[in-house]
């Protein structure tokens, strides 16, 4: 596991991650999705565990869930828990920490 830092200030992170927009980033050998809601930032695997649809094409609802564009499976962005859908595994999530020195993501 490694720690990666995006940006060098909180303001720079806010510019890189407009609220509610799902961005894909490459951190080491992993590509993952990153999304900001207010001052909370979430990072999760880039493909839906059900059928491998790109979650960057999904959307975020008001409950803090990412919704897959393919079959509307819903995953809690904080825990990765499947909230709605058929039999599918949970989403892999990564710990994030927003500081005045940027966004830290543990991968």
């Amino acid at each position: 596991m490694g720690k990666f830092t995006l940006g060098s200030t909180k303001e720079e992170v806010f510019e890189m991650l407009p609220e509610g927009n799902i961005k894909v980033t490459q951190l080491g050998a992993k590509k993952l999705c990153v999304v900001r809601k207010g001052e909370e930032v979430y990072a999760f695997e880039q493909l839906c565990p059900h059928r491998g649809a790109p979650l960057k094409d999904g959307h975020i609802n008001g409950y803090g869930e990412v919704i897959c564009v393919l079959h509307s499976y819903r995953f809690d962005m904080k825990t990765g828990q499947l909230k709605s859908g058929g039999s599918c595994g949970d989403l892999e999530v990564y710990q994030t920490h927003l500081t005045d020195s940027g966004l830290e993501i543990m991968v």
Side-chain angles (χ1 to χ4, degrees), residues 6-17 98 100 102:
L6 299 178
S8 57
T9 66
K10 189 182 282 190
E11 291 75 24
E12 192 174 307
V13 173
F14 286 176
E15 287 178 24
M16 290 174 19
L17 300 172
L98 183 60
D100 290 333

Side-chain angles (χ1 to χ4, degrees), residues 1-80:
M1 182 166 4
K3 178 170 75 171
F4 294 86
T5 303
L6 299 178
S8 57
T9 66
K10 189 182 282 190
E11 291 75 24
E12 192 174 307
V13 173
F14 286 176
E15 287 178 24
M16 290 174 19
L17 300 172
E19 185 160 354
N21 289 353
I22 303 170
K23 301 286 186 175
V24 174
T25 189
Q26 178 90 36
L27 300 178
K30 285 204 176 260
K31 273 190 180 178
L32 49 99
C33 290
V34 182
V35 65
R36 179 175 69 85
K37 279 190 75 169
E39 293 214 4
E40 293 292 321
V41 180
Y42 304 94
F44 47 88
E45 66 182 293
Q46 70 161 342
L47 301 176
C48 180
H50 175 238
R51 290 285 186 130
L55 290 173
K56 70 174 180 59
D57 296 335
H59 66 277
I60 308 302
N61 67 15
Y63 300 105
E65 299 167 339
V66 59
I67 302 172
C68 179
V69 68
L70 190 58
H71 294 113
S72 298
Y73 282 37
R74 296 187 348 238
F75 301 91
D76 184 293
M77 291 190 300
K78 187 173 187 171
T79 66

Side-chain angles (χ1 to χ4, degrees), residues 92-107:
E92 186 173 358
V93 296
Y94 304 94
Q95 181 183 357
T96 65
H97 184 66
L98 183 60
T99 71
D100 290 333
S101 301
L103 174 66
E104 298 174 349
I105 303 176
M106 298 299 293
V107 177

